[in-house]
Amino acid sequence: MNNRPLYSVSQQVRDLEQNLQAISRSPKRNREEMLRYVHRPSLIKLMYAQQELDPEASHVAHELGKYRLSLDIEQDPYVLNMRSDPDSFEVGLLSKALLGRKTYCQEQLKMLHTRAQIIEQELGVWAVYWYINACVRKLQIRGGGDHVELQLLDNTEITYLAQSLSTFLLDIPKQPLSSLDHKFLSTKVLCLIDFLIHHQAPSFSGLIFVRTRAEVAVLSELLSIHPDLSRFYTISTFVGVSTSGGRKANIGELVDVRSQINTLDDLRAGRRNLVITTSALEEGIDVPACNVVVCFDNHMNLKSLIQRRGRARQSKSTFAILFAESDDPSTMSTWEQLEEIMRKLYEDDMRQLAELEAKEAVDEGDRVFVVEKTGAKLLLADAVSHLFHFCATLPGRQFGNSVPIFTFEATEVKQGKELVTAKVTLPISVDASVREACGLSAWITEKAAQKDAAFIAYLQLYNAGLLSDNLLPTQVYDEAIEAVKTDVGKVASLVTVKGQLNPFSEVARQWQAMGESAHLHCFEVILCRNDDSTVSMQMLLPCDLPFIPPLTLYWDSCTTFTVSVHRSSCIPFSPNHTEAVKQSTTLLLSTVFRSRISTAKTDHVALFTPSAHEDPAEWAARYTGTLSGKSLDKINVSALSLSKLGIVRDLTNNAIPCILRGFASTTDGIVADPERSEHDNASLILEVSRFPKRTDFLHPVPVLGQNTAKRNNRELLRPKDCEIDKLPTDYAYFAAALPAVLHRVGVRLVAVRLCDTLFPAVAFDQLDLVVTAITASAAREPTNYQRQEYLGDSVLKFLTSLTLISEHLRWHEGILSQAKDHIVSNASLAKAALAVGLDEYIQTKAFTGSKWRPFYVSDLLDTPADEPRELSTKTLADVVEALMGAAFLHGGFDKAIAILRIFLPRVPWSEVDERNGTLLASAERASVTCPPHLAQLEQLIGYDFKCKSLPLEALTHSSYIGSNVTTSYERLEFLGDVCLDIIVSTASFNHQPAIPTHGLHLLRTAVVNADFLAFLCLKLSISTSRANVVTGKTVDDISLSDTVVPINIWQFLRHASPTVRKAQLECKKRYEELKDHILELLQSGDHIPWALLARLDAPKFYSDIVESVVGAIYIDSHGSLAACEAFLQRLGVMDYLRRLLAGGIALYHPKEKLGQLADTETVKYEVFRAEAHAGAESKLACKVWIGEREIVMVGDGISQIEIETRAADEALKVLKEESRIRYDVLLKEWNDQVLENE
C-alpha cells in the first residue's frame, strides 16, 4: 500500500479487508472522550540546502573502499588458517575465499565501507572519520567495556582488522575529533542542530528517527559534544535487539544494546530528554508520549509516517521532517491526502453488511485443546491458520498441492437456516491415516464449519506425531532424536580436546606393577638393509603387542631398510636379568643418541638385548667403550671386517659420528706423521662418510640437497684423529631405526587400547582399519582416515535414513530429512566423539624424530598427560565416520550398527533385516488395486514387484488427486537416495587401484547428481505396440493398424497438475534436441557434459523418480542392494560409473575448474536478460570476468545455472587456446635463441 497512486487506496483497503475477512472502522462509542486525549502534532518541514563537502576531506569512504580491495588476501587470517591446516576445511573453501574475497575480515571491511558512505553523505566528513576511529578503538581494546562480544572472535582476526584500519587512518587527511568545525558537517546535520537549539524547553521530550544503527551511534556522539546542545540535552540511544546468536560480532556495531535497557524508563522519568533511534521504536514498544519527533530520514512509507507521528502525542507537540531543497515538494502533501482517504474509509458506516455480521456473530463455542506437558493451546479460531502453516512445511511444493482442501456439504435446515459440515483433505504427502478429517458439528456458516474440520485435522496430526508438544510442525519427534538435536546446538569450528594419548605411559605402569611371578614378552626385531645384511635384537616389554606390519625406512634418497617385528616368546621376569638388559639398551642407544640419553637413568620403557641365547651383561661388557684410532696402525687392516668395527668419531670435528667405508692406500697429499716408526702403517688413512643427522626415516628423503650430498661424500681421516666404538656399526643402524620403530609400535598400541576401551562390542580383528581411521593427514602416516571417512559417511547416512523411515512410518520426507541431517551433522558427531572420549586417540602429531628422546618409566609415571590441543569439529566428525567405514569393511552393516550404538546410543538402532521387515510389512498393509499398465512398468524397470503398492507410490506425484493411492513418492525417494549413494560409494571405494579421496567425491557427484539421473530417466524406455484407427475412402472402410511406439518411465508418473504436464512436454523437446550430443559425450567423450545436462534443465521430479524406484525395489526385495544395483545397471548408472573409474575423463565441473585456473584472481559471472527480437522471448546471457578482464559472453540461456555452466565451459576453451598460443610463442622464441647461439 506504500507506493500506490492515490485513486487506488479505496480499492486497496477493500482488497485488504476481503483477504483478512474483516472490516476496518473507527470506534463510535466514546468518540468524543477519546478525542480529548489524542492530539495531532503540528507538522514542520525542515528544509536544508544540499552542498558539496570540503574537497580536501570528502573522499574518506571512497578511499576506504579502495583500501579494502588493495589488501593482500593471502595475508587474511582465514586464508592463513586454511593454508596451515587444509584438512580441517571442506574442499573448495580456499578457492572461494581467494577468488571471491569471502572471508570474515573482508566482509566486515566491506560492510564498514557501506556504512561509512551513508554516514559521510548524511552527517558529514567529521562523522565518518569519528566512526572509523571508534571502530578501531573498539577492536584495539578487544571488546573491553561495552563490546565484550568481540571476545568471541579470533585474536588474529581482531589484530588484522585493527592494524588494517589503523594503517588506513594514517594514510588519509586528519580531521580534529575534539572540535566540531561546521565545514566538516553536512547541511542536513546543521539544519537539525539549528532546530534543536530553537526548541530548547524545560519540558522537552523527543525522539529522532534515523535510518541505520551506525547513524544512531554517530549522531548521538555528535549532538552530545556540540557546545550549543550538550548543556541542555541529555541524549540516549535505542536500536533493535534482534541479532543472530550464531554469527560473529560486527565491528561496525557501536551501540551496546545492553546499555539501552533503561533508556525508555529514563525518558519517562525525565532523566533523559532526547532519544536517537531507528525504526525499532515505531511500533510494538511502549514509548512515553513525546512533544517533539524528528524524522532525520524521510524515506518512509505511509505506515511509518503514521506510527512515528503517533509518538508525538503530547499537547502542542511537533512532528518535524527534514527535506532537501531538491526533494519533490509534493511528497508531504501526498502523505496527508493518503491519510485523509483512509480515515474516511474507516468511518464509512455504509459499508456494513448486516447479514454477514449476523452470521459471524454465531457462537462457535470455546473449544480448546491443551498439551499438558508444555501448556500449548489450540483454539478453534486458530485451527485454520495452523493447518495452513503445517501444509506449507510439507515437501514436494514445486508442482504439488501445498494447501488443505476444504469441501462443504449442506446437511439440514434449522430454524429456517441451512446448516453445513466441512471436510478437509491434506496434501498427498501426508500419511493416509491422517490425511482426511471431518468436522463434528453442522454450522450456519462455512467459515465456522471450516474451523471445526481444521481443529479435528490438527488434533489428528498431533496424535500421529507430526506435531511437537508445542503444537508446531515437528522437527524431530521421539526423545532419542530430540535429545541429539538439543545437545548438539551450534558447536564452534575449533574445540579444545585432550592431548594425544601416549601409549607408553600404560606400558610404564605395567613395568611398575611387575612382580616376581610376572613374565616379559619378547619380540624379535630384524633390520634388513638393501645389501641383504641383517641385524636382529630382542625387544622386551611387560605387555603383548599386536601384529606390527613391516616398516620401510628411508635411509637416504637411494637406500631403504626394512624392519620387521615378530612375536618370540615369554620369559619369567628376573630383576637381575632385567638390570643387565637395561645396560645393554643404554649401550645400544648411546651409539647414536649419546647427547639425548640420561646417564643417570636406565629404566627404559622398551628394553633391547642381542639375542635370547646371549648374556646381556657379557654383551654389554664386551662392546662398552671405544678404541683409539692409533691402534689400527699396529694391526693388519686387510684382515679386518668393516662390519665388526663400530662408529668412527672424528675428534677434530666435535666427535661427529662417521661410518667406516674402507682404508685408503695413499695419503693423497696428507703429510706423513714424522713420529711414526718404520714398522707402522705409515700410509693408513680411514675412508669414512658421515652418519646421518636425520632421525625421521619414516618419510622419503626430499630431493637431494647440497648438505645431504656433502654428508654422503667420502672423507679421509688419519687414525690419530679419531676413535672407534667397540659396538659394531650394524647396531648403530639398528639404534637409529628405533625411534621410527617405537613410534609405529605406539600407534598400534593406541589402536589396541581404543578397541579394548571403547569398542569391545565391535571386536575388530583388522587393526589396520582402526589405525587408518584415527590417523589425520597432518600426522603424515602411510594412511589416513580420509578414504574410510568417505565410505563411512555413506554408511552412516544409509543406516540413519533406514532407521528413521522404518521407526516413523507416518513421518513425511521433510521431517525425515531434518532428522537425518541433524544426526549426521558434524556438530552431532563431534559431540558424540567427545562424549565417549575419542579425542585423545586421534593421531595428529607428525613424527619427525628431531625431538625424540628415549622413554623412561620414571618420567612417564611422573609426567602428566599431554597438554590439551585444539581440533576442528570436522576432524572429530570425520574420525567417527572413518571408524564407521572401518567397521563396515570389517563386518558389514552389523558392525557399523555396533559402532553407532556406542556413539549415538539414544537413537534406536536395530539390525538392518529387522528394519527391512518393518518397511515391507507396512507396504503390504496398503490396499490398492493393481492397474493394467503395471506390467509394462515392471518390464521397463526390469523388476517384478511382489508388493504392488510400492511401484504405484514410487510414481505418484504430490499433485495427484484420486483414488488407489497410499502417499506420494517423497518417502521412497528419501530412502532411494541413500541406497543409490551407498551403491556408488562402495563401488568407487573398492576400485583398484585405489582412488584418492578427492577423486571419490568427484565421482560420486558426477554419478548421483540430479541432472545426470534426469537424463537417464528421460532415456529409459521400452517399445510397445499401439493400435491406430485407419479410415479409408468410404465411411465403412475402417481398419486397425499396429504401431510400435516407445514408452518412457516418466510417462507413468501419476499427477494432476497442468504445470507438470507442461514441464514434461518442454523438457521432452529439449531432450530430443540434446540427447545425441549428450549420449556421444557419455559414451566416448573426455569430459562430463555438465553444460549440456544443465541446458536440459530437467525438473527435479525426473531424478526423484529414479530414486523413488530404487527405494521401492529396496523395500520389496527385503533390502537387496544387488536388486537396486540391477535397476541402476539397466538405467545406465553403473556403466557410466565404470567408465569414469577407468580414468581418462575430466571430472571437474567447469565452474570449479575455471576457479582453479584463475588462481588468485576473482571469477565473476554477470547474468542478465539479453534483448530479444520483436515477438521473441528474451533469453539469459552471461559474461565471465576474471579479474578486470572479460573472457567470454554467451547467450540463449534458459536458467541461471545453465548459462553460468555453459559460460564457464566456453571460458575454459578460451583460456586453453590462449595457453596453447603462449606456449607456441615461447617455443618459437627458444628455438630462435638456440639457432642464434649456434
Side-chain angles (χ1 to χ4, degrees):
M1 206 186 286
N2 304 328
N3 301 312
R4 302 290 183 87
L6 285 177
Y7 64 80
S8 67
V9 173
S10 300
Q11 185 59 43
Q12 292 176 55
V13 173
R14 293 189 179 93
D15 294 342
L16 180 62
E17 290 175 344
Q18 182 178 356
N19 292 336
L20 297 177
Q21 297 183 350
I23 291 179
S24 303
R25 62 170 63 89
S26 294
K28 292 183 177 180
R29 294 183 180 180
N30 310 109
R31 183 179 295 176
E32 293 80 10
E33 182 180 359
M34 179 189 71
L35 291 175
R36 285 198 297 270
Y37 295 96
V38 177
H39 308 279
R40 286 197 176 190
S42 59
L43 177 64
I44 297 179
K45 302 178 183 178
L46 301 178
M47 310 299 295
Y48 62 91
Q50 289 183 328
Q51 66 179 40
E52 296 293 330
L53 299 175
D54 189 334
E56 296 181 359
S58 61
H59 302 294
V60 178
H62 178 68
E63 291 299 321
L64 178 59
K66 291 169 58 180
Y67 178 75
R68 178 183 75 87
L69 295 176
S70 69
L71 292 174
D72 185 4
I73 192 65
E74 286 288 346
Q75 300 304 314
D76 192 283
Y78 182 66
V79 175
L80 293 175
N81 191 16
M82 284 194 287
R83 292 280 195 205
S84 63
D85 188 13
D87 296 320
S88 298
F89 297 86
E90 295 180 359
V91 176
L93 283 183
L94 179 59
S95 298
K96 183 177 180 182
L98 293 175
L99 297 178
R101 304 182 82 89
K102 296 294 184 181
T103 70
Y104 170 76
C105 294
Q106 280 288 318
E107 291 296 326
Q108 287 298 300
L109 291 173
K110 182 179 180 180
M111 186 181 301
L112 192 66
H113 169 231
T114 302
R115 293 182 176 183
Q117 287 179 308
I118 297 174
I119 291 172
E120 188 170 6
Q121 179 182 356
E122 294 291 301
L123 305 179
V125 176
W126 180 93
V128 71
Y129 192 77
W130 180 90
Y131 176 66
I132 298 175
N133 270 277
C135 293
V136 174
R137 289 196 302 272
K138 171 183 174 181
L139 288 167
Q140 290 172 339
I141 62 176
R142 188 179 171 80
D146 294 337
H147 303 294
V148 294
E149 75 275 2
L150 282 184
Q151 295 173 3
L152 301 177
L153 290 185
D154 186 13
N155 274 328
T156 56
E157 292 176 330
I158 293 177
T159 304
Y160 178 84
L161 288 170
Q163 291 177 348
S164 299
L165 290 174
S166 299
T167 303
F168 167 74
L169 289 174
L170 293 174
D171 296 335
I172 61 174
K174 303 297 182 295
Q175 309 297 336
L177 297 178
S178 57
S179 61
L180 289 175
D181 191 333
H182 283 194
K183 73 175 184 177
F184 295 120
L185 299 179
S186 69
T187 54
K188 189 175 184 179
V189 167
L190 296 176
C191 180
L192 173 64
I193 292 172
D194 185 68
F195 171 82
L196 293 176
I197 291 174
H198 287 85
H199 281 76
Q200 294 179 359
S203 61
F204 182 93
S205 176
L207 301 174
I208 298 178
F209 285 96
V210 298
R211 191 184 345 172
T212 65
R213 297 158 73 103
E215 290 175 88
V216 170
V218 180
L219 188 59
S220 170
E221 175 70 16
L222 191 156
L223 299 181
S224 297
I225 67 173
H226 193 281
D228 296 331
L229 301 178
S230 58
R231 292 171 296 175
F232 180 80
Y233 291 104
T234 54
I235 301 173
S236 186
T237 62
F238 193 97
V239 297
V241 296
S242 59
T243 57
S244 171
R247 69 187 183 197
K248 287 187 175 181
N250 187 341
I251 66 170
E253 194 67 58
L254 298 180
V255 178
D256 185 10
V257 295
R258 295 169 301 168
S259 65
Q260 65 187 33
I261 296 176
N262 300 318
T263 293
L264 298 181
D265 290 338
D266 292 342
L267 182 64
R268 189 177 289 108
R271 293 186 292 270
R272 303 276 180 176
N273 59 9
L274 180 60
V275 175
I276 302 177
T277 182
T278 61
S279 58
L281 285 186
E282 285 183 356
E283 63 177 334
I285 299 177
D286 182 18
V287 180
C290 301
N291 53 28
V292 173
V293 171
V294 180
C295 292
F296 190 78
D297 166 34
N298 65 18
H299 294 83
M300 297 176 291
N301 53 36
L302 179 59
K303 174 184 174 183
S304 296
L305 172 67
I306 296 173
Q307 289 172 336
R308 293 183 181 184
R309 191 195 64 184
R311 297 304 188 188
R313 57 183 184 273
Q314 287 188 12
S315 178
K316 299 180 180 180
S317 57
T318 299
F319 181 65
I321 306 178
L322 277 82
F323 289 92
E325 292 177 351
S326 58
D327 286 347
D328 186 354
S330 64
T331 303
M332 194 61 225
S333 60
T334 301
W335 283 333
E336 293 172 339
Q337 293 176 48
L338 285 169
E339 186 183 9
E340 181 62 19
I341 293 173
M342 291 187 67
R343 183 186 62 79
K344 291 181 178 180
L345 289 170
Y346 295 156
E347 297 174 355
D348 183 9
D349 295 338
M350 297 303 295
R351 295 188 306 116
Q352 301 178 27
L353 300 176
E355 182 178 353
L356 183 59
E357 279 189 343
K359 286 190 175 183
E360 289 181 349
V362 173
D363 182 14
E364 296 172 351
D366 55 354
R367 204 185 326 173
V368 61
F369 171 75
V370 180
V371 180
E372 294 183 3
K373 184 178 180 180
T374 61
K377 295 181 180 180
L378 174 64
L379 303 177
L380 189 65
D382 299 331
V384 175
S385 61
H386 286 336
L387 197 61
F388 271 85
H389 173 65
F390 170 81
C391 293
T393 65
L394 296 175
R397 298 178 58 197
Q398 182 182 9
F399 297 107
N401 171 39
S402 61
V403 297
I405 298 176
F406 290 90
T407 55
F408 302 95
E409 182 179 354
T411 58
E412 58 180 302
V413 176
K414 186 177 181 181
Q415 296 179 354
K417 296 181 178 180
E418 187 179 66
L419 302 182
V420 295
T421 59
K423 174 184 176 182
V424 60
T425 303
L426 303 182
I428 198 173
S429 56
V430 177
D431 188 74
S433 63
V434 291
R435 192 178 301 145
E436 295 181 348
C438 297
L440 297 179
S441 306
W443 303 85
I444 296 176
T445 65
E446 290 183 352
K447 180 180 178 181
Q450 183 187 38
K451 294 178 182 178
D452 185 13
F455 189 90
I456 299 302
Y458 213 68
L459 283 183
Q460 289 184 176
L461 293 174
Y462 174 74
N463 293 328
L466 297 176
L467 301 174
S468 69
D469 286 332
N470 292 316
L471 294 178
L472 295 173
T474 190
Q475 301 266 328
V476 179
Y477 171 65
D478 70 20
E479 292 184 5
I481 311 298
E482 187 67 37
V484 174
K485 174 187 171 185
T486 304
D487 290 345
V488 170
K490 181 68 176 177
V491 182
S493 59
L494 286 177
V495 291
T496 301
V497 302
K498 296 177 184 176
Q500 187 169 307
L501 177 69
N502 185 348
F504 291 107
S505 297
E506 178 61 27
V507 178
R509 285 188 285 271
Q510 294 184 40
W511 274 115
Q512 186 183 36
M514 291 293 288
E516 293 183 359
S517 61
H519 285 74
L520 292 177
H521 296 264
C522 301
F523 303 89
E524 185 179 14
V525 183
I526 304 173
L527 173 69
C528 297
R529 295 159 59 185
N530 53 1
D531 58 359
D532 295 331
S533 61
T534 64
V535 58
S536 171
M537 295 195 78
Q538 293 284 322
M539 178 170 62
L540 275 60
L541 291 171
C543 59
D544 195 10
L545 291 181
F547 169 72
I548 309 295
L551 284 74
T552 298
L553 303 183
Y554 301 90
W555 186 256
D556 55 37
S557 58
C558 304
T559 309
T560 58
F561 297 168
T562 302
V563 178
S564 57
V565 180
H566 307 280
R567 184 180 285 105
S568 179
S569 61
C570 288
I571 61 173
F573 171 71
S574 168
N576 294 333
H577 180 264
T578 302
E579 285 299 322
V581 176
K582 289 179 180 179
Q583 297 299 327
S584 65
T585 304
T586 301
L587 172 62
L588 178 69
L589 293 175
S590 65
T591 59
V592 179
F593 305 106
R594 181 175 295 184
S595 62
R596 301 186 188 186
I597 64 174
S598 172
T599 57
K601 296 179 180 180
T602 60
D603 54 338
H604 302 278
V605 74
L607 301 180
F608 293 89
T609 186
S611 70
H613 306 292
E614 187 169 1
D615 183 80
E618 295 180 0
W619 183 84
R622 183 166 65 255
Y623 290 122
T624 299
T626 61
L627 299 173
S628 171
K630 293 182 179 180
S631 62
L632 296 176
D633 293 337
K634 309 297 183 179
I635 61 178
N636 183 10
V637 295
S638 62
L640 285 177
S641 172
L642 295 181
S643 63
K644 301 298 182 181
L645 295 176
I647 292 294
V648 177
R649 302 189 184 275
D650 184 359
L651 299 180
T652 65
N653 193 5
N654 298 319
I656 288 179
C658 301
I659 303 172
L660 180 61
R661 300 298 184 184
F663 300 98
S665 58
T666 175
T667 61
D668 290 335
I670 297 178
V671 179
D673 191 342
E675 298 180 0
R676 292 180 183 271
S677 68
E678 59 182 2
H679 302 290
D680 292 342
N681 294 321
S683 62
L684 181 65
I685 298 295
L686 277 66
E687 188 177 0
V688 299
S689 62
R690 293 187 182 183
F691 199 87
K693 288 184 178 180
R694 62 188 296 266
T695 51
D696 176 15
F697 300 113
L698 286 178
H699 303 104
V701 181
V703 177
L704 192 63
Q706 182 178 359
N707 293 333
T708 305
K710 182 178 180 180
R711 287 197 299 270
N712 288 337
N713 287 340
R714 301 294 177 95
E715 300 179 16
L716 300 178
L717 288 178
R718 291 181 296 192
K720 74 169 189 174
D721 295 333
C722 62
E723 63 181 16
I724 303 171
D725 289 352
K726 291 183 179 180
L727 188 66
T729 304
D730 283 347
Y731 289 105
Y733 285 115
F734 188 92
L738 284 183
V741 173
L742 292 177
H743 171 74
R744 286 289 169 81
V745 168
V747 172
R748 308 290 287 192
L749 286 175
V750 170
V752 169
R753 184 170 176 184
L754 173 62
C755 293
D756 293 342
T757 306
L758 298 185
F759 306 135
V762 183
F764 277 109
D765 58 11
Q766 299 180 47
L767 199 62
D768 287 343
L769 295 174
V770 180
V771 170
T772 299
I774 62 175
T775 304
S777 59
R780 298 180 63 205
E781 293 295 313
T783 60
N784 60 62
Y785 62 65
Q786 292 179 346
R787 274 176 45 86
Q788 284 184 196
E789 178 270 330
Y790 164 85
L791 180 62
D793 174 72
S794 292
V795 173
L796 173 62
K797 289 176 179 176
F798 174 79
L799 292 176
T800 301
S801 300
L802 182 62
T803 298
L804 290 172
I805 197 172
S806 59
E807 185 74 12
H808 306 284
L809 297 174
R810 289 178 173 177
W811 276 10
H812 58 73
E813 182 269 338
I815 307 177
L816 292 171
S817 294
Q818 292 168 2
K820 183 195 77 172
D821 292 344
H822 220 84
I823 293 173
V824 305
S825 68
N826 283 348
S828 172
L829 299 180
K831 284 282 188 179
L834 294 174
V836 302
L838 177 65
D839 47 335
E840 65 178 329
Y841 297 96
I842 300 175
Q843 306 293 299
T844 57
K845 293 181 180 179
F847 174 79
T848 62
S850 59
K851 297 182 179 180
W852 185 86
R853 296 294 184 273
F855 292 125
Y856 296 104
V857 172
S858 55
D859 291 344
L860 291 170
L861 294 176
D862 296 338
T863 304
D866 284 0
E867 290 293 324
R869 52 182 170 160
E870 284 193 335
L871 287 181
S872 68
T873 52
K874 184 179 185 304
T875 298
L876 291 166
D878 286 351
V879 173
V880 174
E881 291 178 331
L883 286 166
M884 194 84 55
F888 179 73
L889 292 171
H890 168 48
F893 289 125
D894 291 342
K895 295 296 184 181
I897 290 173
I899 286 280
L900 283 172
R901 286 172 176 158
I902 294 169
F903 284 111
L904 300 171
R906 298 179 183 176
V907 180
W909 306 107
S910 296
E911 302 304 321
V912 171
D913 282 346
E914 180 182 340
R915 293 296 180 186
N916 294 336
T918 301
L919 290 174
L920 183 57
S922 174
E924 289 172 343
R925 287 194 294 268
S927 176
V928 295
T929 303
C930 184
H933 64 265
L934 187 57
Q936 285 184 324
L937 175 61
E938 291 177 331
Q939 180 186 356
L940 181 58
I941 294 173
Y943 179 84
D944 293 330
F945 285 91
K946 297 178 286 294
C947 180
K948 302 303 182 183
S949 66
L950 287 169
L952 291 182
E953 181 179 338
L955 288 159
T956 299
H957 191 263
S958 58
S959 66
Y960 180 73
I961 301 174
S963 58
N964 202 33
V965 65
T966 54
T967 186
S968 53
Y969 61 60
E970 284 81 13
R971 277 176 56 90
L972 289 178
E973 177 230 334
F974 171 80
L975 179 61
D977 174 70
V978 292
C979 293
L980 172 62
D981 184 86
I982 198 166
I983 289 171
V984 171
S985 297
T986 52
S988 303
F989 182 90
N990 293 327
H991 182 266
Q992 293 298 328
I995 298 172
T997 309
H998 186 53
L1000 291 174
H1001 286 286
L1002 291 174
L1003 281 167
R1004 182 163 61 188
T1005 301
V1007 174
V1008 304
N1009 77 86
D1011 290 337
F1012 176 64
L1013 295 178
F1015 174 78
L1016 296 182
C1017 178
L1018 285 159
K1019 174 176 170 288
L1020 183 62
S1021 65
I1022 58 171
S1023 297
T1024 186
S1025 178
R1026 176 178 297 172
N1028 292 326
V1029 177
V1030 180
T1031 58
K1033 297 181 179 179
T1034 64
V1035 178
D1036 297 331
D1037 188 5
I1038 299 176
S1039 62
L1040 296 177
S1041 67
D1042 290 336
T1043 304
V1044 177
V1045 295
I1047 297 182
N1048 299 90
I1049 188 172
W1050 57 267
Q1051 292 176 294
F1052 290 89
L1053 181 67
R1054 302 195 300 172
H1055 66 89
S1057 170
T1059 309
V1060 171
R1061 180 58 179 162
K1062 180 182 177 182
Q1064 287 177 329
L1065 295 175
E1066 292 175 348
C1067 187
K1068 181 182 178 183
K1069 181 179 178 181
R1070 293 191 296 272
Y1071 169 76
E1072 295 296 334
E1073 295 173 353
L1074 301 171
K1075 68 174 181 179
D1076 291 339
H1077 195 182
I1078 294 176
L1079 279 174
E1080 179 185 358
L1081 290 174
L1082 291 178
Q1083 293 170 359
S1084 58
D1086 61 355
H1087 66 279
I1088 299 172
W1090 294 108
L1092 291 174
L1093 290 172
R1095 187 162 183 78
L1096 183 61
D1097 195 28
K1100 184 177 179 294
F1101 57 74
Y1102 283 101
S1103 60
D1104 290 347
I1105 289 173
V1106 173
E1107 293 174 340
S1108 63
V1109 170
V1110 172
I1113 294 174
Y1114 179 84
I1115 295 176
D1116 191 76
S1117 64
H1118 202 277
S1120 172
L1121 289 174
C1124 299
E1125 186 174 342
F1127 168 67
L1128 296 175
Q1129 173 68 40
R1130 183 179 181 84
L1131 191 66
V1133 172
M1134 304 310 296
D1135 282 341
Y1136 193 58
L1137 175 60
R1138 281 187 285 272
R1139 184 163 185 266
L1140 295 178
L1141 289 171
I1145 300 177
L1147 301 176
Y1148 281 100
H1149 191 278
K1151 294 181 70 173
E1152 186 177 2
K1153 187 63 177 178
L1154 185 62
Q1156 292 178 345
L1157 291 180
D1159 198 14
T1160 59
E1161 292 190 277
T1162 302
V1163 179
K1164 184 175 70 174
Y1165 298 89
E1166 181 184 343
V1167 180
F1168 56 94
R1169 283 277 176 189
E1171 294 184 6
H1173 300 292
E1177 181 183 358
S1178 63
K1179 295 292 186 72
L1180 293 175
C1182 179
K1183 292 181 179 180
V1184 178
W1185 300 78
I1186 297 182
E1188 301 298 323
R1189 183 166 74 104
E1190 180 183 338
I1191 304 299
V1192 73
M1193 186 186 84
V1194 297
D1196 194 31
I1198 60 177
S1199 69
Q1200 181 170 346
I1201 294 177
E1202 179 269 334
I1203 193 66
E1204 288 184 357
T1205 304
R1206 193 152 49 87
D1209 204 28
E1210 293 300 320
L1212 285 173
K1213 295 177 183 177
V1214 172
L1215 294 181
K1216 289 178 180 178
E1217 179 63 20
E1218 291 177 351
S1219 178
R1220 185 190 63 79
I1221 293 174
R1222 284 196 299 269
Y1223 174 79
D1224 291 344
V1225 171
L1226 290 173
L1227 183 61
K1228 184 178 184 303
E1229 292 176 352
W1230 183 81
N1231 288 331
D1232 292 344
Q1233 185 67 38
V1234 170
L1235 293 174
E1236 182 178 343
N1237 293 337
E1238 291 177 351

